């Protein structure tokens, strides 16, 4: 019986190499092929740089990805995911590689191309095993220097991307028992600030800029004027009304 | 100048020791005092067991926590967090310990007692440094064997706990572009299933039971009859309408 290929999507965390898990390191060390997305073939993508900081001697195969944002970006990204899947399978098959690692920033299933690739990979080779190893997400790293009870008991947490409509951010912030996290909202910071101000949620909100890189910083959102880099993460803690009945303070018709 | 105490909340992940990060291991190794919550002083809590699997020789100081659930549980948990903070500071001060590690399952800021403790610790000793190291969350581990594009582009993700009202779960599931994760909902599985069925979201939903333990399993939610253990995690992927305009398919008055 021929052993089939296993492709493991490996989350390498937000950028700080020390946030790699033991499972991620082991899977990378054991792989026959380590593939990493990059937007330019002649330079390392961020996932490759993170892994190389811990395992400098590994060989990484760069897979070109179109990183275009927005509505047009969606179909380009689907094309990239499909093409990357085809490419990885071709390399694995022609070399009889059985263990393939695909490294990716953050977690491989949350706002990550790996989940999309999983669909194409499975369609191209139904005998394939696909699994993933979770990675720390950027908003978790933003909280490292600002520990807070982000969610407790019956609180909820919503993650949105900067591509969401501002009215979705308005709605998300209307429940005081909900933490709100907005990814990749750098270019929309002024609109996000205005939305949170309207909801009474600007105070206490923080923003992590380029977390995991050498220029990483976390600041109160109220102190920011104008847009920030694309990779910015806004974290809005729930409003906890001390001593008051949390349930009585909102209209539970809202979600 | 006397160096002040640093207390680090360390997320050890959902239970699988290989999901510890390098940063967590290093911080534990460097600590003068490693404190861990437990519900019984004569047996190791889950966080202690996870860490001992990798670092068998470390000495762990068990801190008793009341784990009562529900509305009554909230004030008992606050009491526990306050008492734990007092106890940890007393041990650190009487031994002149400067580096204290508090290990906790999952992430120290998401449905975790550490965030609550941070508030009390800071009130008891304003000179204290408090930081945290993120940990992988249970729902991320549930996806390990079931890679999927849980959120992409303008999708959102909501985390709720089993203490949420069922009508909040109904509302959360009404947006097809939203992934829904429900923590600690084991006892309410029949109601959660009924809610997701009403929303047309039962198909594709999976549930992880006691993920990270020896009895860990992930199953389609539709195959479950009756309640599950407390530590169960339901994951509902967004509904992606192939080829259709995602935006046109829901009432955007809903959140």
């Amino acid at each position: 019986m021929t052993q089939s290929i296993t492709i493991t999507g490996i989350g390498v965390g937000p950028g700080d190499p020390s946030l790699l898990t033991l499972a991620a390191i082991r899977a990378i060390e054991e792989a026959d092929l380590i593939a990493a997305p990059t937007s330019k073939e002649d330079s390392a993508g961020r996932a490759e740089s993170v892994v190389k900081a811990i395992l400098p001697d590994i060989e990484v195969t760069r897979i070109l990805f179109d990183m275009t944002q927005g509505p047009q970006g969606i179909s380009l990204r689907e094309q990239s995911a499909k093409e990357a899947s085809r490419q990885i399978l071709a390399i694995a098959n022609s070399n009889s590689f059985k263990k393939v690692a695909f490294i990716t920033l953050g977690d491989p299933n949350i706002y990550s191309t790996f989940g999309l690739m999983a669909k194409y990979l499975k369609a191209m080779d139904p005998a394939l095993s696909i699994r993933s190893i979770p990675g720390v997400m950027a908003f978790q790293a933003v909280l490292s220097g600002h520990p807070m009870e982000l969610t407790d008991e019956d609180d909820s947490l919503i993650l949105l991307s900067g591509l969401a409509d501002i009215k979705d951010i308005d709605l998300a912030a209307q429940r005081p028992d909900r933490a709100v996290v907005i990814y990749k909202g750098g270019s929309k910071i002024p609109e996000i600030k205005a939305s949170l101000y309207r909801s009474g949620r600007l105070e206490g909100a923080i923003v992590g800029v380029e977390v995991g890189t050498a220029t990483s910083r976390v600041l109160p959102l109220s102190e920011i004027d104008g847009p920030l880099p694309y990779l910015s993460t806004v974290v809005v803690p729930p409003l906890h009304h001390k001593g008051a009945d949390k349930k009585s303070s909102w209209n539970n018709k809202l979600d």
Side-chain angles (χ1 to χ4, degrees), chain A:
Chain A
M1 201 184 90
T2 319
Q3 192 203 339
S4 66
I5 300 169
T6 298
I7 300 197
T8 307
I10 301 177
V12 304
D16 175 348
S18 78
L19 292 177
L20 276 166
T21 64
L22 299 178
I25 294 169
R26 190 185 309 150
I28 293 166
E29 285 176 329
E30 288 175 353
D32 303 314
L33 171 67
I34 302 154
T38 183
S39 56
K40 287 185 209 136
E41 242 163 325
D42 57 354
S43 65
R46 288 187 60 199
E48 178 181 340
S49 304
V50 170
V51 171
K52 283 277 180 73
I54 301 292
L55 301 168
D57 299 328
I58 59 160
E59 195 188 319
V60 171
T61 299
R62 293 179 187 156
I63 307 285
L64 210 59
F65 266 81
D66 193 304
M67 309 286 191
T68 309
Q69 299 306 312
Q72 191 203 3
I74 297 177
S75 65
L76 292 173
R77 232 168 62 84
E78 294 225 353
Q79 272 308 317
S80 283
K82 204 167 176 173
E83 176 54 24
S85 302
R86 200 200 52 71
Q87 233 177 302
I88 288 170
L89 282 179
I91 300 170
N93 283 320
S94 64
N95 294 280
S96 299
F97 291 152
K98 294 304 172 199
K99 290 182 181 172
V100 177
F102 182 85
I103 58 176
T104 179
L105 275 185
D107 183 281
N109 295 299
I110 314 291
Y111 298 115
S112 168
T113 310
F114 184 73
L116 188 58
M117 286 175 56
K119 188 176 73 176
Y120 293 118
L121 288 165
K122 202 73 194 169
M124 290 171 189
D125 181 356
L128 214 63
S129 294
I130 302 176
R131 57 182 198 120
S132 65
I133 294 176
V136 168
M137 294 182 275
F139 85 93
Q140 301 179 268
V142 170
L143 295 166
S144 295
H146 295 70
M148 58 169 85
E149 200 189 13
L150 192 66
T151 55
D152 183 40
E153 299 282 338
D154 55 354
D155 293 333
S156 60
L157 166 70
I158 190 161
L159 305 185
L160 304 159
S161 92
L163 294 172
D165 287 336
I166 285 293
K167 67 173 182 292
D168 285 338
I169 295 170
D170 287 342
L171 280 167
Q174 276 176 36
R175 281 192 65 150
D177 62 341
R178 178 175 292 164
V180 182
V181 173
I182 306 157
Y183 272 106
K184 302 178 185 173
S187 64
K188 275 177 157 178
I189 288 293
E191 289 158 88
I192 292 170
K193 268 187 74 173
S195 166
L196 295 174
Y197 180 77
R198 285 193 296 276
S199 316
R201 302 290 295 275
L202 185 56
E203 199 193 336
I206 55 178
V207 59
V209 187
E210 294 177 325
V211 169
T213 71
T215 56
S216 167
R217 55 206 187 277
V218 178
L219 300 159
L221 184 60
S222 59
E223 288 177 10
I224 308 295
D225 288 312
L228 288 173
Y230 172 65
L231 283 177
S232 297
T233 304
V234 171
V235 179
V236 187
L239 282 178
H240 285 130
H241 302 285
K242 278 191 202 122
D245 174 10
K246 291 204 292 178
K247 288 287 181 197
S248 67
S249 60
W250 74 77
N251 171 356
N252 59 26
K253 284 277 162 22
L254 293 170
D255 175 35

